[in-house]
Amino acid sequence: MSIIHGMSNAEYHALPSVSSSQLKTILRSPAHYREAYLSGKEKKAPTADMLLGSLTHTLFLEPEQFAEEYVESVKFDMRTNAGKAAAATFAELAAGRTPVTAEQIQQAHAMANALCDSIAYNAMTGGYAEASIFFQDADTSLQCRIRPDYHIAPGDAWPDGLILDVKSTDDARAEAFARTCVKFGYDLSAAMYNDGFMQEYGTQNPPVFLLLVVERDAPHGVVCYEVSDEMLAKGHEKYRKAMNTLAACKESGEWPCYPDEIQKLDLPKWA
């Protein structure tokens, strides 16, 4: 078990240890996991929403890192030699940084400012942003990693500690965001983060887990939700299933896809 402060996103995501994103992929199928993480192919570029979310995270949690991780994109006239030369110079200066538009920066600033006005922001004292925690899964012995957006170690204010996860969404209302949690596996992430946190700090009870949610569009509404025991229990089921599946596939060397059989298809319960 270890905790590292100041590790860059690029360094963290390049590590081979198991992350919650990998576990969500293997729940789709082991074949999809193999394609995404073992094929050696270049990873897909982040979507516009993912990029906006990452940009907002940086401006809200680590604004001092903005200039190191991002650069405002510039348009060049590639029909001229001068434009091509200017583009080459820009590419050299921007190397290693993610280009973002002025509009994306403006939107992310507005979202970060809305987060700073939230009630949860007042509780963010004495903690750590983007700390990388490494631990070993007790059941499978697989090496794992988590990177809470913000956490506070167990102490007087938070006896079991606090994890705060910042999320961007189109609709932050409870019913809509609950579906988003299911779609993107936020329950699994919460369960895995709790596991790593409890191992790192040696606590018997899980920390308080808050989801601080901001809407992408103006007025950039913000809601803070505490993850329920029921949501954590469901997430723990998925987390254990994914870890056990990954361990079994690594041992057998077999990475199956979907069941090769005819299945009945029903509408979801909400429909």
Side-chain angles (χ1 to χ4, degrees):
M1 295 178 291
S2 63
I3 182 169
I4 299 177
H5 301 280
M7 177 180 284
S8 70
N9 268 319
E11 290 176 299
Y12 174 80
H13 289 294
L15 295 172
S17 43
V18 180
S19 69
S20 64
S21 295
Q22 294 177 4
L23 295 183
K24 295 170 192 175
T25 303
I26 204 166
L27 283 182
R28 181 173 183 180
S29 88
H32 286 84
Y33 175 94
R34 180 179 58 185
E35 180 68 17
Y37 299 106
L38 302 179
S39 66
K41 296 180 181 178
E42 187 174 344
K43 294 184 178 179
K44 294 180 180 179
T47 65
D49 284 346
M50 292 168 63
L51 181 57
L52 179 62
S54 298
L55 183 57
T56 303
H57 272 69
T58 300
L59 291 173
F60 176 55
L61 296 167
E62 298 179 298
E64 70 281 358
Q65 296 294 319
F66 172 79
E68 294 185 18
E69 296 186 16
Y70 300 94
V71 61
E72 184 175 336
S73 59
V74 181
K75 292 184 178 180
F76 301 97
D77 187 352
M78 301 303 290
R79 297 169 298 177
T80 67
N81 289 333
K84 293 177 182 178
T89 300
F90 175 81
E92 184 177 345
L93 292 173
R97 294 186 289 171
T98 302
V100 289
T101 66
E103 290 76 13
Q104 288 173 317
I105 295 173
Q106 182 179 17
Q107 185 178 2
H109 267 299
M111 293 167 67
N113 290 338
L115 289 167
C116 288
D117 289 335
S118 68
I119 187 172
Y121 184 68
N122 297 327
M124 295 173 64
T125 57
Y128 308 97
E130 303 289 357
S132 302
I133 298 176
F134 301 90
F135 65 102
Q136 185 178 57
D137 179 57
D139 292 344
T140 64
S141 297
L142 292 175
Q143 298 298 320
C144 301
R145 56 185 162 94
I146 59 172
R147 191 175 169 95
D149 291 339
Y150 188 87
H151 83 272
I152 299 176
D156 293 338
W158 303 94
D160 296 311
L162 170 73
I163 292 178
L164 187 145
D165 208 11
V166 180
K167 299 296 185 187
S168 55
T169 189
D170 291 327
D171 190 341
R173 290 175 295 178
E175 182 177 356
F177 188 68
R179 294 189 183 189
T180 299
C181 289
V182 174
K183 179 179 179 180
F184 292 106
Y186 294 162
D187 52 345
L188 183 153
S189 294
M192 184 177 189
Y193 276 43
N194 279 356
D195 189 6
F197 185 97
M198 292 166 68
Q199 286 198 44
E200 173 63 29
Y201 289 106
T203 55
Q204 298 298 315
N205 299 313
V208 174
F209 200 110
L210 300 180
L211 293 169
L212 183 56
V213 188
V214 59
E215 293 179 338
R216 298 183 185 96
D217 295 331
H220 307 296
V222 175
V223 185
C224 186
Y225 296 110
E226 180 177 355
V227 174
S228 69
D229 292 341
E230 181 182 15
M231 181 173 170
L232 281 174
K234 188 63 178 177
H236 187 75
E237 289 180 16
K238 296 178 183 177
Y239 167 49
R240 291 312 328 156
K241 179 181 179 181
M243 288 297 298
N244 293 333
T245 300
L246 179 56
C249 289
K250 283 179 174 287
E251 183 176 356
S252 68
E254 297 179 0
W255 303 86
C257 196
Y258 303 131
D260 186 20
E261 59 187 33
I262 298 174
Q263 305 175 60
K264 278 193 175 182
L265 181 65
D266 292 320
L267 292 175
K269 292 181 179 180
W270 56 262

